[in-house]
Amino acid sequence: MRAVWVALALLSLTTPGLADAARLRTQYSGVVNLNDATAAQLDLLPGVGEKAAQRIIEQRTRRRFQRVEELVRVKGFGKKRFLKLKPHLSLDGPTTLKVEQVLPPPAEGKEVVATNR
């Protein structure tokens, strides 16, 4: 049984595309307008799910956001989580957040050489 797992692991590393898929990282660009974004748009934010998006919408129906820092008033959004999201938050303009899967950049100055010894 162990040989089967080892064979599958080796196959996944040598099959084109599978190894690259394992190394993909998520890249976020653009902003989300806290006062106008839909639940689906808020859900695109890193670490924000459906329930958190609904809590943001409930908060802004009671009182529109005057500053992005007011997000910490929403249950589940502390300072640490807010700081992670801050570059992607806005109060005016359109929501432009895009989520892409990209390969990490190659390490600079390091050449990868495969040797068989």
Side-chain angles (χ1 to χ4, degrees):
M1 185 66 173
R2 183 177 176 161
V4 172
W5 287 109
V6 170
L8 286 174
L10 289 174
L11 181 63
S12 69
L13 292 176
T14 58
T15 304
L18 288 179
D20 290 340
R23 295 188 321 208
L24 289 178
R25 67 180 181 88
T26 305
Q27 178 176 322
Y28 299 88
S29 61
V31 294
V32 169
N33 183 330
L34 285 176
N35 286 321
D36 296 329
T38 64
Q41 291 170 326
L42 291 166
D43 192 16
L44 290 175
L45 286 165
V48 175
E50 277 184 52
K51 290 182 180 180
Q54 281 305 115
R55 288 195 297 264
I56 292 170
I57 291 172
E58 289 169 11
Q59 174 70 28
R60 78 175 184 213
T61 56
R62 287 188 291 250
R63 181 171 182 250
R64 290 182 62 84
F65 292 97
Q66 302 298 312
R67 298 179 15 231
V68 292
E69 290 81 6
E70 293 175 9
L71 185 62
V72 298
R73 294 182 181 168
V74 177
K75 181 181 177 186
F77 289 88
K79 185 176 180 179
K80 186 176 178 181
R81 192 172 184 188
F82 165 73
L83 290 174
K84 181 179 176 185
L85 296 174
K86 188 176 180 179
H88 307 294
L89 302 177
S90 172
L91 296 178
D92 54 5
T95 294
T96 61
L97 187 69
K98 299 220 182 327
V99 181
E100 300 174 311
Q101 298 294 322
V102 296
L103 285 172
E108 289 186 36
K110 294 185 180 180
E111 185 176 333
V112 178
V113 178
T115 60
N116 271 339
R117 293 186 183 187

